[in-house]
Amino acid sequence: MINFKKSDKPRCVSAEVMKDIYEKIKTPYKHGAVMKFERELCDSPSIFRYGDRWYMSFIKIDKETKSSGYDSHLAVSDDLIHWEYLYKTLERSDEDIWDSKQIALYAALIDNDFYGSYEITPQEGVYYFAYLGGALDGYETDPLSIGLCRTEDVLDPSKYMRSPTPIMAPSDPDGRPGETKTLYKSHMFRDSAMTTGYPFVSAYNAKDFSDRESIYLAVSNDGVNWERYGDRAVIWDDTPEKKININGDPQIFRIGDVYVMFYFIATGGCTYAYETFACSYDLENWTKWDGEPLIKPEQEWENLFAHKPCIVVSGGVVYHFYCAVNDKGERFIALATSEELG
């Protein structure tokens, strides 16, 4: 574990800056499902630019979740609204390996400038995807670990090579309190400012045996070998009444000199979920937004959860993809935008 770069006087994000960021990122116009399946639940969009088109890596699980688990898929779009399903990229197997039954892929090292290209960028000629992996059937059955998938061609699933062992696991000896049961989705990005002292940063949510999820950081010199950063979570339940069950699925961008973390919160014993954000200058000390959620359950088709954010900006419009869940047993990928679309 690498210690935080401590500052005697950490720079706090002011209320004025928080409000300004909110105005830049809010997406009040909802458009419903953009990716939905009859027999399967789909989840966790991860959207990036590759060549001259947009791609969505996402995960599916059979509605009979007890005998199923996550596998990974790819879709393509020219306008971020209409998506064409392509193919499965990583699938479950009957092999005796650590990631045989759960394999949920998330694009890594995407340009993280909020107004940037959103291109997935290679590291020494190789494209990387982080993934959540596990060896047991079911819906996110513990324990889960983080793997790293590599490929020289994003559009050729036969060239996807996954980790023989996890790159980070809850059983690691340097695991921090709060991450000793399961590690979840990892958002890996290049940090050109090297704010932590390292060029690569990963943010992920994890839990211990209390089943409360918090958000942690890891760092790397090469994007392949990772070490935990800091002796604690950077986002956790700090409410006096301890009402938050999950702080999860972080995605971090830069807007000027401010790091903006999108993430979701689940409350009520994980019966309700919505999205919010936090801001930081140093990646260690975060100011949480205390205003209106970015996305919350409002419509009948998303009346339980509106969560698991994935943000891209194109043509000055913010596209906010998220996982919508309702009481009819449906789970699918939905879209909200900063402007009304014609």
Side-chain angles (χ1 to χ4, degrees), residues 222-266:
D222 58 9
V224 177
N225 301 285
W226 293 84
E227 293 186 71
R228 287 166 168 84
Y229 182 65
D231 58 359
R232 58 166 174 81
V234 292
I235 299 286
W236 67 94
D237 180 10
D238 54 4
T239 61
E241 59 273 34
K242 298 299 178 187
K243 65 180 181 180
I244 296 174
N245 301 99
I246 299 174
N247 291 285
D249 284 36
Q251 186 187 26
I252 297 176
F253 290 104
R254 288 288 296 270
I255 299 180
D257 62 348
V258 180
Y259 293 93
V260 182
M261 180 195 296
F262 297 85
Y263 65 103
F264 82 87
I265 287 174

mmCIF file of all heavy atoms in Angstrom, residues 222-266:
data_model
loop_
_atom_site.group_PDB
_atom_site.id
_atom_site.type_symbol
_atom_site.label_atom_id
_atom_site.label_comp_id
_atom_site.label_asym_id
_atom_site.label_seq_id
_atom_site.Cartn_x
_atom_site.Cartn_y
_atom_site.Cartn_z
ATOM 1 N N ASP A 222 2.567 1.601 -14.778
ATOM 2 C CA ASP A 222 2.505 1.082 -16.147
ATOM 3 C C ASP A 222 1.101 0.709 -16.611
ATOM 4 O O ASP A 222 0.922 0.269 -17.749
ATOM 5 C CB ASP A 222 3.429 -0.129 -16.298
ATOM 6 C CG ASP A 222 3.088 -1.259 -15.329
ATOM 7 O OD1 ASP A 222 2.039 -1.197 -14.658
ATOM 8 O OD2 ASP A 222 3.882 -2.222 -15.252
ATOM 9 N N GLY A 223 0.086 0.861 -15.752
ATOM 10 C CA GLY A 223 -1.275 0.484 -16.112
ATOM 11 C C GLY A 223 -1.543 -1.000 -16.012
ATOM 12 O O GLY A 223 -2.659 -1.453 -16.300
ATOM 13 N N VAL A 224 -0.560 -1.775 -15.596
ATOM 14 C CA VAL A 224 -0.688 -3.230 -15.515
ATOM 15 C C VAL A 224 -0.538 -3.723 -14.082
ATOM 16 O O VAL A 224 -1.313 -4.548 -13.600
ATOM 17 C CB VAL A 224 0.353 -3.916 -16.427
ATOM 18 C CG1 VAL A 224 0.274 -5.435 -16.301
ATOM 19 C CG2 VAL A 224 0.152 -3.483 -17.882
ATOM 20 N N ASN A 225 0.480 -3.217 -13.399
ATOM 21 C CA ASN A 225 0.742 -3.615 -12.018
ATOM 22 C C ASN A 225 0.242 -2.516 -11.086
ATOM 23 O O ASN A 225 0.699 -1.369 -11.172
ATOM 24 C CB ASN A 225 2.244 -3.845 -11.825
ATOM 25 C CG ASN A 225 2.778 -4.920 -12.751
ATOM 26 O OD1 ASN A 225 2.553 -6.101 -12.536
ATOM 27 N ND2 ASN A 225 3.487 -4.517 -13.807
ATOM 28 N N TRP A 226 -0.672 -2.890 -10.190
ATOM 29 C CA TRP A 226 -1.371 -1.897 -9.378
ATOM 30 C C TRP A 226 -1.101 -2.078 -7.889
ATOM 31 O O TRP A 226 -0.940 -3.203 -7.409
ATOM 32 C CB TRP A 226 -2.876 -1.993 -9.635
ATOM 33 C CG TRP A 226 -3.240 -1.585 -11.027
ATOM 34 C CD1 TRP A 226 -3.210 -2.369 -12.158
ATOM 35 C CD2 TRP A 226 -3.639 -0.288 -11.463
ATOM 36 N NE1 TRP A 226 -3.590 -1.632 -13.253
ATOM 37 C CE2 TRP A 226 -3.857 -0.352 -12.857
ATOM 38 C CE3 TRP A 226 -3.857 0.925 -10.794
ATOM 39 C CZ2 TRP A 226 -4.280 0.746 -13.602
ATOM 40 C CZ3 TRP A 226 -4.275 2.019 -11.526
ATOM 41 C CH2 TRP A 226 -4.481 1.929 -12.914
ATOM 42 N N GLU A 227 -1.044 -0.944 -7.163
ATOM 43 C CA GLU A 227 -0.916 -0.954 -5.707
ATOM 44 C C GLU A 227 -1.995 -0.071 -5.100
ATOM 45 O O GLU A 227 -2.373 0.966 -5.675
ATOM 46 C CB GLU A 227 0.448 -0.422 -5.284
ATOM 47 C CG GLU A 227 1.610 -1.306 -5.690
ATOM 48 C CD GLU A 227 2.924 -0.783 -5.118
ATOM 49 O OE1 GLU A 227 3.119 -0.894 -3.885
ATOM 50 O OE2 GLU A 227 3.726 -0.236 -5.895
ATOM 51 N N ARG A 228 -2.474 -0.446 -3.958
ATOM 52 C CA ARG A 228 -3.488 0.350 -3.271
ATOM 53 C C ARG A 228 -2.908 1.703 -2.868
ATOM 54 O O ARG A 228 -1.756 1.782 -2.447
ATOM 55 C CB ARG A 228 -4.015 -0.410 -2.053
ATOM 56 C CG ARG A 228 -4.929 -1.572 -2.431
ATOM 57 C CD ARG A 228 -5.167 -2.510 -1.261
ATOM 58 N NE ARG A 228 -6.241 -3.458 -1.529
ATOM 59 C CZ ARG A 228 -6.101 -4.597 -2.187
ATOM 60 N NH1 ARG A 228 -4.903 -4.940 -2.661
ATOM 61 N NH2 ARG A 228 -7.140 -5.396 -2.385
ATOM 62 N N TYR A 229 -3.753 2.729 -2.980
ATOM 63 C CA TYR A 229 -3.324 4.095 -2.668
ATOM 64 C C TYR A 229 -4.140 4.614 -1.492
ATOM 65 O O TYR A 229 -5.365 4.740 -1.564
ATOM 66 C CB TYR A 229 -3.523 4.990 -3.880
ATOM 67 C CG TYR A 229 -3.068 6.427 -3.673
ATOM 68 C CD1 TYR A 229 -1.725 6.726 -3.451
ATOM 69 C CD2 TYR A 229 -3.986 7.469 -3.709
ATOM 70 C CE1 TYR A 229 -1.309 8.029 -3.264
ATOM 71 C CE2 TYR A 229 -3.570 8.786 -3.529
ATOM 72 C CZ TYR A 229 -2.234 9.060 -3.316
ATOM 73 O OH TYR A 229 -1.819 10.365 -3.121
ATOM 74 N N GLY A 230 -3.440 4.908 -0.399
ATOM 75 C CA GLY A 230 -4.087 5.420 0.802
ATOM 76 C C GLY A 230 -4.515 4.315 1.746
ATOM 77 O O GLY A 230 -4.718 3.173 1.348
ATOM 78 N N ASP A 231 -4.650 4.673 3.010
ATOM 79 C CA ASP A 231 -4.974 3.684 4.036
ATOM 80 C C ASP A 231 -6.466 3.604 4.344
ATOM 81 O O ASP A 231 -6.872 2.979 5.321
ATOM 82 C CB ASP A 231 -4.199 4.002 5.322
ATOM 83 C CG ASP A 231 -4.505 5.400 5.865
ATOM 84 O OD1 ASP A 231 -5.299 6.137 5.229
ATOM 85 O OD2 ASP A 231 -3.945 5.764 6.923
ATOM 86 N N ARG A 232 -7.289 4.225 3.509
ATOM 87 C CA ARG A 232 -8.742 4.249 3.762
ATOM 88 C C ARG A 232 -9.472 4.501 2.446
ATOM 89 O O ARG A 232 -8.868 4.790 1.412
ATOM 90 C CB ARG A 232 -9.090 5.371 4.745
ATOM 91 C CG ARG A 232 -8.645 6.751 4.249
ATOM 92 C CD ARG A 232 -9.273 7.883 5.022
ATOM 93 N NE ARG A 232 -8.734 9.188 4.633
ATOM 94 C CZ ARG A 232 -9.108 9.877 3.567
ATOM 95 N NH1 ARG A 232 -10.026 9.369 2.746
ATOM 96 N NH2 ARG A 232 -8.577 11.058 3.286
ATOM 97 N N ALA A 233 -10.786 4.405 2.540
ATOM 98 C CA ALA A 233 -11.630 4.760 1.401
ATOM 99 C C ALA A 233 -11.590 6.272 1.178
ATOM 100 O O ALA A 233 -11.273 7.047 2.089
ATOM 101 C CB ALA A 233 -13.064 4.315 1.665
ATOM 102 N N VAL A 234 -11.912 6.700 -0.050
ATOM 103 C CA VAL A 234 -12.022 8.135 -0.331
ATOM 104 C C VAL A 234 -13.479 8.593 -0.343
ATOM 105 O O VAL A 234 -13.772 9.773 -0.145
ATOM 106 C CB VAL A 234 -11.336 8.510 -1.658
ATOM 107 C CG1 VAL A 234 -9.826 8.339 -1.535
ATOM 108 C CG2 VAL A 234 -11.873 7.718 -2.833
ATOM 109 N N ILE A 235 -14.410 7.678 -0.569
ATOM 110 C CA ILE A 235 -15.853 7.948 -0.455
ATOM 111 C C ILE A 235 -16.442 6.819 0.381
ATOM 112 O O ILE A 235 -16.304 5.640 0.035
ATOM 113 C CB ILE A 235 -16.555 7.987 -1.831
ATOM 114 C CG1 ILE A 235 -15.981 9.091 -2.711
ATOM 115 C CG2 ILE A 235 -18.063 8.147 -1.657
ATOM 116 C CD1 ILE A 235 -16.381 10.502 -2.326
ATOM 117 N N TRP A 236 -17.096 7.177 1.482
ATOM 118 C CA TRP A 236 -17.693 6.178 2.373
ATOM 119 C C TRP A 236 -18.948 6.774 3.002
ATOM 120 O O TRP A 236 -19.271 7.945 2.803
ATOM 121 C CB TRP A 236 -16.693 5.742 3.440
ATOM 122 C CG TRP A 236 -16.337 6.819 4.430
ATOM 123 C CD1 TRP A 236 -16.918 7.029 5.651
ATOM 124 C CD2 TRP A 236 -15.334 7.846 4.280
ATOM 125 N NE1 TRP A 236 -16.335 8.113 6.280
ATOM 126 C CE2 TRP A 236 -15.359 8.632 5.449
ATOM 127 C CE3 TRP A 236 -14.421 8.162 3.277
ATOM 128 C CZ2 TRP A 236 -14.516 9.720 5.640
ATOM 129 C CZ3 TRP A 236 -13.578 9.251 3.458
ATOM 130 C CH2 TRP A 236 -13.629 10.004 4.620
ATOM 131 N N ASP A 237 -19.670 5.959 3.763
ATOM 132 C CA ASP A 237 -20.882 6.437 4.429
ATOM 133 C C ASP A 237 -20.485 7.249 5.650
ATOM 134 O O ASP A 237 -20.138 6.709 6.694
ATOM 135 C CB ASP A 237 -21.762 5.258 4.843
ATOM 136 C CG ASP A 237 -23.045 5.717 5.542
ATOM 137 O OD1 ASP A 237 -23.336 6.935 5.528
ATOM 138 O OD2 ASP A 237 -23.759 4.864 6.083
ATOM 139 N N ASP A 238 -20.546 8.575 5.505
ATOM 140 C CA ASP A 238 -20.217 9.448 6.637
ATOM 141 C C ASP A 238 -21.465 10.125 7.197
ATOM 142 O O ASP A 238 -21.367 11.140 7.880
ATOM 143 C CB ASP A 238 -19.180 10.496 6.224
ATOM 144 C CG ASP A 238 -19.601 11.295 5.004
ATOM 145 O OD1 ASP A 238 -20.726 11.096 4.515
ATOM 146 O OD2 ASP A 238 -18.801 12.118 4.528
ATOM 147 N N THR A 239 -22.646 9.557 6.905
ATOM 148 C CA THR A 239 -23.882 10.103 7.475
ATOM 149 C C THR A 239 -24.007 9.669 8.934
ATOM 150 O O THR A 239 -23.669 8.527 9.273
ATOM 151 C CB THR A 239 -25.115 9.618 6.699
ATOM 152 O OG1 THR A 239 -25.192 8.185 6.770
ATOM 153 C CG2 THR A 239 -25.033 10.043 5.243
ATOM 154 N N PRO A 240 -24.473 10.543 9.820
ATOM 155 C CA PRO A 240 -24.595 10.180 11.236
ATOM 156 C C PRO A 240 -25.472 8.953 11.468
ATOM 157 O O PRO A 240 -25.190 8.137 12.344
ATOM 158 C CB PRO A 240 -25.216 11.433 11.867
ATOM 159 C CG PRO A 240 -24.876 12.548 10.935
ATOM 160 C CD PRO A 240 -24.868 11.945 9.563
ATOM 161 N N GLU A 241 -26.520 8.813 10.659
ATOM 162 C CA GLU A 241 -27.447 7.705 10.855
ATOM 163 C C GLU A 241 -27.035 6.433 10.120
ATOM 164 O O GLU A 241 -27.734 5.415 10.197
ATOM 165 C CB GLU A 241 -28.862 8.108 10.423
ATOM 166 C CG GLU A 241 -28.981 8.527 8.973
ATOM 167 C CD GLU A 241 -28.705 9.996 8.727
ATOM 168 O OE1 GLU A 241 -27.846 10.577 9.423
ATOM 169 O OE2 GLU A 241 -29.339 10.569 7.821
ATOM 170 N N LYS A 242 -25.902 6.473 9.404
ATOM 171 C CA LYS A 242 -25.395 5.314 8.662
ATOM 172 C C LYS A 242 -26.482 4.718 7.760
ATOM 173 O O LYS A 242 -26.804 3.532 7.826
ATOM 174 C CB LYS A 242 -24.860 4.253 9.628
ATOM 175 C CG LYS A 242 -23.695 4.715 10.474
ATOM 176 C CD LYS A 242 -22.499 5.106 9.609
ATOM 177 C CE LYS A 242 -21.324 5.609 10.410
ATOM 178 N NZ LYS A 242 -20.220 6.136 9.569
ATOM 179 N N LYS A 243 -27.008 5.544 6.895
ATOM 180 C CA LYS A 243 -28.140 5.149 6.048
ATOM 181 C C LYS A 243 -27.723 4.635 4.676
ATOM 182 O O LYS A 243 -28.557 4.113 3.936
ATOM 183 C CB LYS A 243 -29.086 6.320 5.870
ATOM 184 C CG LYS A 243 -28.482 7.500 5.097
ATOM 185 C CD LYS A 243 -29.466 8.641 4.950
ATOM 186 C CE LYS A 243 -28.856 9.795 4.146
ATOM 187 N NZ LYS A 243 -29.808 10.923 3.997
ATOM 188 N N ILE A 244 -26.451 4.782 4.317
ATOM 189 C CA ILE A 244 -26.006 4.425 2.968
ATOM 190 C C ILE A 244 -25.439 3.001 2.967
ATOM 191 O O ILE A 244 -24.543 2.684 3.742
ATOM 192 C CB ILE A 244 -24.955 5.419 2.452
ATOM 193 C CG1 ILE A 244 -25.571 6.812 2.302
ATOM 194 C CG2 ILE A 244 -24.374 4.949 1.121
ATOM 195 C CD1 ILE A 244 -24.576 7.893 1.943
ATOM 196 N N ASN A 245 -25.964 2.160 2.092
ATOM 197 C CA ASN A 245 -25.462 0.797 1.954
ATOM 198 C C ASN A 245 -24.336 0.705 0.932
ATOM 199 O O ASN A 245 -23.389 -0.061 1.105
ATOM 200 C CB ASN A 245 -26.592 -0.147 1.535
ATOM 201 C CG ASN A 245 -27.725 -0.161 2.528
ATOM 202 O OD1 ASN A 245 -28.728 0.503 2.329
ATOM 203 N ND2 ASN A 245 -27.564 -0.907 3.613
ATOM 204 N N ILE A 246 -24.461 1.480 -0.155
ATOM 205 C CA ILE A 246 -23.475 1.401 -1.232
ATOM 206 C C ILE A 246 -23.084 2.792 -1.704
ATOM 207 O O ILE A 246 -23.948 3.628 -1.981
ATOM 208 C CB ILE A 246 -24.011 0.616 -2.443
ATOM 209 C CG1 ILE A 246 -24.351 -0.829 -2.075
ATOM 210 C CG2 ILE A 246 -23.000 0.625 -3.596
ATOM 211 C CD1 ILE A 246 -25.016 -1.617 -3.206
ATOM 212 N N ASN A 247 -21.780 3.039 -1.789
ATOM 213 C CA ASN A 247 -21.206 4.085 -2.630
ATOM 214 C C ASN A 247 -20.472 3.321 -3.727
ATOM 215 O O ASN A 247 -19.484 2.639 -3.447
ATOM 216 C CB ASN A 247 -20.219 4.953 -1.850
ATOM 217 C CG ASN A 247 -20.899 5.816 -0.808
ATOM 218 O OD1 ASN A 247 -21.531 6.811 -1.128
ATOM 219 N ND2 ASN A 247 -20.768 5.434 0.465
ATOM 220 N N GLY A 248 -20.955 3.402 -4.979
ATOM 221 C CA GLY A 248 -20.422 2.483 -5.962
ATOM 222 C C GLY A 248 -20.248 3.021 -7.363
ATOM 223 O O GLY A 248 -20.730 4.090 -7.726
ATOM 224 N N ASP A 249 -19.523 2.229 -8.161
ATOM 225 C CA ASP A 249 -19.307 2.431 -9.592
ATOM 226 C C ASP A 249 -18.789 3.822 -9.926
ATOM 227 O O ASP A 249 -19.417 4.578 -10.678
ATOM 228 C CB ASP A 249 -20.600 2.145 -10.353
ATOM 229 C CG ASP A 249 -20.876 0.659 -10.475
ATOM 230 O OD1 ASP A 249 -20.557 -0.063 -9.521
ATOM 231 O OD2 ASP A 249 -21.401 0.228 -11.501
ATOM 232 N N PRO A 250 -17.618 4.187 -9.410
ATOM 233 C CA PRO A 250 -17.067 5.521 -9.683
ATOM 234 C C PRO A 250 -16.592 5.670 -11.130
ATOM 235 O O PRO A 250 -16.108 4.717 -11.752
ATOM 236 C CB PRO A 250 -15.881 5.605 -8.713
ATOM 237 C CG PRO A 250 -15.447 4.175 -8.547
ATOM 238 C CD PRO A 250 -16.718 3.377 -8.561
ATOM 239 N N GLN A 251 -16.730 6.877 -11.652
ATOM 240 C CA GLN A 251 -16.157 7.263 -12.940
ATOM 241 C C GLN A 251 -15.607 8.673 -12.753
ATOM 242 O O GLN A 251 -16.340 9.573 -12.346
ATOM 243 C CB GLN A 251 -17.225 7.237 -14.039
ATOM 244 C CG GLN A 251 -16.667 7.490 -15.438
ATOM 245 C CD GLN A 251 -17.752 7.625 -16.495
ATOM 246 O OE1 GLN A 251 -18.881 8.001 -16.208
ATOM 247 N NE2 GLN A 251 -17.409 7.340 -17.740
ATOM 248 N N ILE A 252 -14.310 8.877 -13.031
ATOM 249 C CA ILE A 252 -13.642 10.147 -12.720
ATOM 250 C C ILE A 252 -13.206 10.864 -13.990
ATOM 251 O O ILE A 252 -12.597 10.265 -14.880
ATOM 252 C CB ILE A 252 -12.426 9.915 -11.795
ATOM 253 C CG1 ILE A 252 -12.890 9.337 -10.455
ATOM 254 C CG2 ILE A 252 -11.655 11.215 -11.581
ATOM 255 C CD1 ILE A 252 -11.759 8.985 -9.506
ATOM 256 N N PHE A 253 -13.535 12.167 -14.059
ATOM 257 C CA PHE A 253 -13.133 13.038 -15.162
ATOM 258 C C PHE A 253 -12.440 14.275 -14.609
ATOM 259 O O PHE A 253 -12.521 14.577 -13.417
ATOM 260 C CB PHE A 253 -14.350 13.485 -15.977
ATOM 261 C CG PHE A 253 -14.987 12.390 -16.773
ATOM 262 C CD1 PHE A 253 -16.175 11.812 -16.368
ATOM 263 C CD2 PHE A 253 -14.397 11.929 -17.938
ATOM 264 C CE1 PHE A 253 -16.763 10.803 -17.097
ATOM 265 C CE2 PHE A 253 -14.974 10.924 -18.686
ATOM 266 C CZ PHE A 253 -16.165 10.363 -18.265
ATOM 267 N N ARG A 254 -11.775 15.002 -15.522
ATOM 268 C CA ARG A 254 -11.228 16.321 -15.187
ATOM 269 C C ARG A 254 -12.056 17.403 -15.876
ATOM 270 O O ARG A 254 -12.336 17.317 -17.064
ATOM 271 C CB ARG A 254 -9.769 16.450 -15.650
ATOM 272 C CG ARG A 254 -8.765 15.664 -14.850
ATOM 273 C CD ARG A 254 -8.507 16.213 -13.467
ATOM 274 N NE ARG A 254 -7.917 17.534 -13.460
ATOM 275 C CZ ARG A 254 -6.604 17.770 -13.470
ATOM 276 N NH1 ARG A 254 -5.754 16.768 -13.530
ATOM 277 N NH2 ARG A 254 -6.142 19.004 -13.426
ATOM 278 N N ILE A 255 -12.448 18.409 -15.104
ATOM 279 C CA ILE A 255 -13.022 19.635 -15.656
ATOM 280 C C ILE A 255 -12.134 20.761 -15.154
ATOM 281 O O ILE A 255 -12.182 21.130 -13.981
ATOM 282 C CB ILE A 255 -14.487 19.847 -15.226
ATOM 283 C CG1 ILE A 255 -15.365 18.699 -15.726
ATOM 284 C CG2 ILE A 255 -15.009 21.178 -15.753
ATOM 285 C CD1 ILE A 255 -16.834 18.831 -15.346
ATOM 286 N N GLY A 256 -11.275 21.286 -16.027
ATOM 287 C CA GLY A 256 -10.261 22.239 -15.573
ATOM 288 C C GLY A 256 -9.319 21.557 -14.610
ATOM 289 O O GLY A 256 -8.755 20.499 -14.907
ATOM 290 N N ASP A 257 -9.152 22.128 -13.417
ATOM 291 C CA ASP A 257 -8.267 21.521 -12.416
ATOM 292 C C ASP A 257 -9.036 20.727 -11.366
ATOM 293 O O ASP A 257 -8.483 20.356 -10.329
ATOM 294 C CB ASP A 257 -7.407 22.594 -11.742
ATOM 295 C CG ASP A 257 -8.232 23.632 -10.982
ATOM 296 O OD1 ASP A 257 -9.466 23.668 -11.158
ATOM 297 O OD2 ASP A 257 -7.643 24.423 -10.223
ATOM 298 N N VAL A 258 -10.297 20.447 -11.641
ATOM 299 C CA VAL A 258 -11.139 19.719 -10.687
ATOM 300 C C VAL A 258 -11.367 18.288 -11.178
ATOM 301 O O VAL A 258 -11.728 18.070 -12.339
ATOM 302 C CB VAL A 258 -12.504 20.414 -10.500
ATOM 303 C CG1 VAL A 258 -13.363 19.645 -9.492
ATOM 304 C CG2 VAL A 258 -12.323 21.854 -10.047
ATOM 305 N N TYR A 259 -11.129 17.320 -10.293
ATOM 306 C CA TYR A 259 -11.532 15.951 -10.567
ATOM 307 C C TYR A 259 -13.001 15.804 -10.163
ATOM 308 O O TYR A 259 -13.391 16.190 -9.056
ATOM 309 C CB TYR A 259 -10.700 14.961 -9.754
ATOM 310 C CG TYR A 259 -9.242 14.913 -10.138
ATOM 311 C CD1 TYR A 259 -8.303 15.697 -9.475
ATOM 312 C CD2 TYR A 259 -8.799 14.082 -11.162
ATOM 313 C CE1 TYR A 259 -6.963 15.655 -9.815
ATOM 314 C CE2 TYR A 259 -7.455 14.029 -11.510
ATOM 315 C CZ TYR A 259 -6.538 14.818 -10.836
ATOM 316 O OH TYR A 259 -5.222 14.778 -11.186
ATOM 317 N N VAL A 260 -13.794 15.242 -11.064
ATOM 318 C CA VAL A 260 -15.217 15.032 -10.802
ATOM 319 C C VAL A 260 -15.493 13.532 -10.818
ATOM 320 O O VAL A 260 -15.215 12.860 -11.818
ATOM 321 C CB VAL A 260 -16.096 15.742 -11.845
ATOM 322 C CG1 VAL A 260 -17.578 15.538 -11.526
ATOM 323 C CG2 VAL A 260 -15.766 17.228 -11.900
ATOM 324 N N MET A 261 -16.001 13.018 -9.710
ATOM 325 C CA MET A 261 -16.340 11.604 -9.609
ATOM 326 C C MET A 261 -17.854 11.430 -9.661
ATOM 327 O O MET A 261 -18.572 11.914 -8.794
ATOM 328 C CB MET A 261 -15.813 10.985 -8.304
ATOM 329 C CG MET A 261 -16.150 9.489 -8.167
ATOM 330 S SD MET A 261 -15.942 8.834 -6.489
ATOM 331 C CE MET A 261 -14.177 9.019 -6.245
ATOM 332 N N PHE A 262 -18.320 10.726 -10.680
ATOM 333 C CA PHE A 262 -19.706 10.283 -10.735
ATOM 334 C C PHE A 262 -19.793 8.944 -10.016
ATOM 335 O O PHE A 262 -18.932 8.080 -10.202
ATOM 336 C CB PHE A 262 -20.165 10.114 -12.180
ATOM 337 C CG PHE A 262 -20.156 11.382 -12.986
ATOM 338 C CD1 PHE A 262 -18.995 11.823 -13.610
ATOM 339 C CD2 PHE A 262 -21.309 12.143 -13.117
ATOM 340 C CE1 PHE A 262 -18.985 12.989 -14.353
ATOM 341 C CE2 PHE A 262 -21.309 13.304 -13.865
ATOM 342 C CZ PHE A 262 -20.143 13.736 -14.481
ATOM 343 N N TYR A 263 -20.835 8.735 -9.222
ATOM 344 C CA TYR A 263 -21.021 7.455 -8.560
ATOM 345 C C TYR A 263 -22.469 7.330 -8.116
ATOM 346 O O TYR A 263 -23.249 8.280 -8.239
ATOM 347 C CB TYR A 263 -20.063 7.289 -7.368
ATOM 348 C CG TYR A 263 -20.273 8.243 -6.209
ATOM 349 C CD1 TYR A 263 -20.913 7.826 -5.034
ATOM 350 C CD2 TYR A 263 -19.821 9.560 -6.257
ATOM 351 C CE1 TYR A 263 -21.087 8.692 -3.958
ATOM 352 C CE2 TYR A 263 -19.989 10.425 -5.195
ATOM 353 C CZ TYR A 263 -20.624 9.990 -4.055
ATOM 354 O OH TYR A 263 -20.799 10.853 -2.992
ATOM 355 N N PHE A 264 -22.852 6.154 -7.627
ATOM 356 C CA PHE A 264 -24.228 6.004 -7.165
ATOM 357 C C PHE A 264 -24.275 5.651 -5.686
ATOM 358 O O PHE A 264 -23.309 5.146 -5.110
ATOM 359 C CB PHE A 264 -24.989 4.970 -8.013
ATOM 360 C CG PHE A 264 -24.770 3.525 -7.635
ATOM 361 C CD1 PHE A 264 -25.550 2.898 -6.662
ATOM 362 C CD2 PHE A 264 -23.797 2.762 -8.281
ATOM 363 C CE1 PHE A 264 -25.371 1.566 -6.338
ATOM 364 C CE2 PHE A 264 -23.602 1.423 -7.959
ATOM 365 C CZ PHE A 264 -24.393 0.828 -6.978
ATOM 366 N N ILE A 265 -25.416 5.935 -5.112
ATOM 367 C CA ILE A 265 -25.687 5.658 -3.709
ATOM 368 C C ILE A 265 -26.911 4.752 -3.618
ATOM 369 O O ILE A 265 -27.910 4.993 -4.308
ATOM 370 C CB ILE A 265 -25.933 6.960 -2.927
ATOM 371 C CG1 ILE A 265 -24.611 7.722 -2.733
ATOM 372 C CG2 ILE A 265 -26.603 6.690 -1.572
ATOM 373 C CD1 ILE A 265 -24.771 9.090 -2.107
ATOM 374 N N ALA A 266 -26.834 3.710 -2.805
ATOM 375 C CA ALA A 266 -27.986 2.853 -2.523
ATOM 376 C C ALA A 266 -28.320 2.936 -1.035
ATOM 377 O O ALA A 266 -27.422 2.903 -0.187
ATOM 378 C CB ALA A 266 -27.710 1.408 -2.920
#
